[in-house]
Amino acid sequence: DSGDFILSGELRNRCKGDWEVDLTDEIIESHFPKEDKRDKQILAKIARKIIEDFDRNNKNTMFRLMDFFKIGKWVHNNIKYDLNYSGRTNMTAMDIYNQRVGVCHHFTRLANALLYSLGYKVIYTNGFAVKSSNEFDQNSGHAWSLIQVNGKWYPFDATWDILTGKLPVGHVFQGFFGKSMQVI
């Protein structure tokens, strides 16, 4: 065994930080929330402003990031994590942006909508985030993204500010696009 694992034959992690995803553009597009598609132009303006502000605030440093990192950093730094919002699954990306509060699925939805508005291919995924195998339970639910950059898919977690493409081992996939995943 090479250490690879396959999830429902659609997603493969080669344990190198990159992912293979067998999804067409049409499938990705069809699963993106229609409310966020409707607000795509507004979200694109917001995303461009976030990038401009980041660049202006960091112009005198050697610190340079790709635009998707700037969006992830902004979401991480500007959305307040509040467990009281865990049951509020009906919030649109604009709701989350305006209220600036939520939990992991809100961080993920807003980051994805901002990235999507700029033309990135992003996938909402969910599963569990655990500190160790002894702490794994159904209450460890978590949501994060996969983002395609230069033809490869990378994990992207704005909630935890993990934007480097490598997630801790504790991120265990359960599903994406409403499909149940199994590690085989």
Side-chain angles (χ1 to χ4, degrees), residues 6-184:
I6 299 172
L7 303 171
S8 294
E10 296 172 334
L11 182 69
R12 179 185 306 239
N13 177 344
R14 296 209 177 268
C15 299
K16 299 176 200 164
D18 58 331
W19 295 74
E20 294 177 10
V21 180
D22 184 19
L23 294 171
T24 65
D25 291 348
E26 293 79 22
I27 292 173
I28 294 169
E29 184 72 22
S30 71
H31 286 87
F32 207 84
K34 66 181 179 220
E35 299 87 356
D36 297 344
K37 282 184 190 178
R38 180 192 66 225
D39 294 331
K40 185 176 179 180
Q41 290 181 335
I42 298 167
L43 289 161
K45 279 180 140 176
I46 293 168
R48 286 191 293 272
K49 174 97 170 80
I50 289 169
I51 292 165
E52 288 170 13
D53 289 349
F54 184 95
D55 290 342
R56 185 177 51 260
N57 293 332
N58 292 285
K59 68 180 175 187
N60 295 323
T61 70
M62 296 298 292
F63 189 56
R64 300 286 181 260
L65 292 176
M66 295 177 78
D67 289 346
F68 66 90
F69 283 106
K70 298 169 190 176
I71 298 294
K73 283 279 196 206
W74 187 93
V75 170
H76 176 77
N77 292 333
N78 290 278
I79 305 303
K80 180 183 174 214
Y81 193 91
D82 185 342
L83 282 173
N84 292 320
Y85 280 73
S86 61
R88 298 202 45 201
T89 58
N90 62 340
M91 293 174 69
T92 67
M94 286 304 303
D95 294 335
I96 299 160
Y97 174 78
N98 290 325
Q99 294 179 31
R100 308 276 171 106
V101 65
V103 293
C104 59
H105 62 260
H106 301 108
F107 281 67
T108 300
R109 182 163 184 175
L110 178 57
N112 282 4
L114 292 167
L115 293 166
Y116 171 83
S117 76
L118 295 176
Y120 284 97
K121 292 180 183 177
V122 289
I123 297 170
Y124 177 102
T125 190
N126 67 303
F128 302 94
V130 295
K131 294 178 183 168
S132 73
S133 60
N134 296 335
E135 296 179 37
F136 182 82
D137 65 37
Q138 296 298 326
N139 297 318
S140 302
H142 188 52
W144 64 96
S145 307
L146 292 179
I147 182 171
Q148 188 180 63
V149 180
N150 297 326
K152 291 190 176 191
W153 290 89
Y154 297 92
F156 185 87
D157 188 337
T159 308
W160 285 11
D161 197 26
I162 302 171
L163 313 173
T164 61
K166 293 189 179 187
L167 294 175
V169 172
H171 280 63
V172 179
F173 280 90
Q174 176 185 0
F176 68 49
F177 289 152
K179 296 179 182 177
S180 180
M181 300 290 180
Q182 295 181 36
V183 177
I184 54 174

